[in-house]
């Protein structure tokens, strides 16, 4: 769970997840273009690639290669323990 929090602490990584939520299965080039257009982020492709590596290490992003292209997909499974721990428990506790 610590890896997930570490990955989510960075605002650029949260924006990447927002973009993958909006359109799943994007290449690095597509993600960079969307971040530049939507958020005016001028991060290099290398910087975004490093952010994607952190998200992938935390299990929040999965990848699939097709020929020369690598597609990135959001994976919300690592967020389930967080939801279970604080949100679902809080909704079940009597007031």
């Amino acid at each position: 769970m610590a890896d997930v929090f570490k990955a989510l602490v960075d605002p650029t990584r949260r924006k990447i997840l927002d973009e993958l939520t909006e359109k799943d299965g994007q290449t690095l080039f597509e993600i960079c273009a969307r971040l530049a257009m939507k958020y005016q982020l001028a991060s290099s492709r290398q910087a975004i690639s490093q952010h994607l590596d952190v998200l992938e290490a935390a299990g929040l992003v999965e990848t699939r290669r097709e020929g020369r292209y690598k597609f990135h997909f959001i994976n919300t499974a690592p967020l389930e323990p967080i939801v279970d721990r604080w949100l679902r428990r809080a909704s079940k506790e009597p007031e």
Side-chain angles (χ1 to χ4, degrees):
M1 193 180 301
D3 288 348
V4 173
F5 282 112
K6 181 181 171 187
L8 294 174
V9 76
D10 186 276
T12 300
R13 290 195 282 267
R14 291 193 304 270
K15 287 175 184 160
I16 291 170
L17 292 176
D18 288 343
E19 288 307 309
L20 290 175
T21 299
E22 191 171 299
K23 182 180 182 281
D24 211 10
Q26 295 183 60
T27 64
L28 174 62
F29 178 79
E30 290 172 311
I31 293 168
C32 289
R34 290 175 67 100
L35 292 173
M37 288 179 48
K38 204 167 186 179
Y39 303 103
Q40 288 75 46
L41 280 178
S43 299
S44 67
R45 286 196 315 166
Q46 183 178 10
I48 298 302
S49 178
Q50 289 173 346
H51 284 302
L52 285 166
D53 288 345
V54 172
L55 291 168
E56 190 174 356
L60 293 165
V61 168
E62 296 177 339
T63 61
R64 184 179 69 229
R65 282 205 173 271
E66 288 184 24
R68 294 178 37 202
Y69 299 103
K70 184 178 180 182
F71 296 91
H72 301 82
F73 300 87
I74 189 166
N75 178 21
T76 58
L79 300 175
E80 287 294 324
I82 296 168
V83 171
D84 286 341
R85 183 170 177 169
W86 287 292
L87 295 177
R88 289 192 183 130
R89 180 189 289 174
S91 68
K92 291 179 182 175
E93 291 180 2
E95 293 181 19

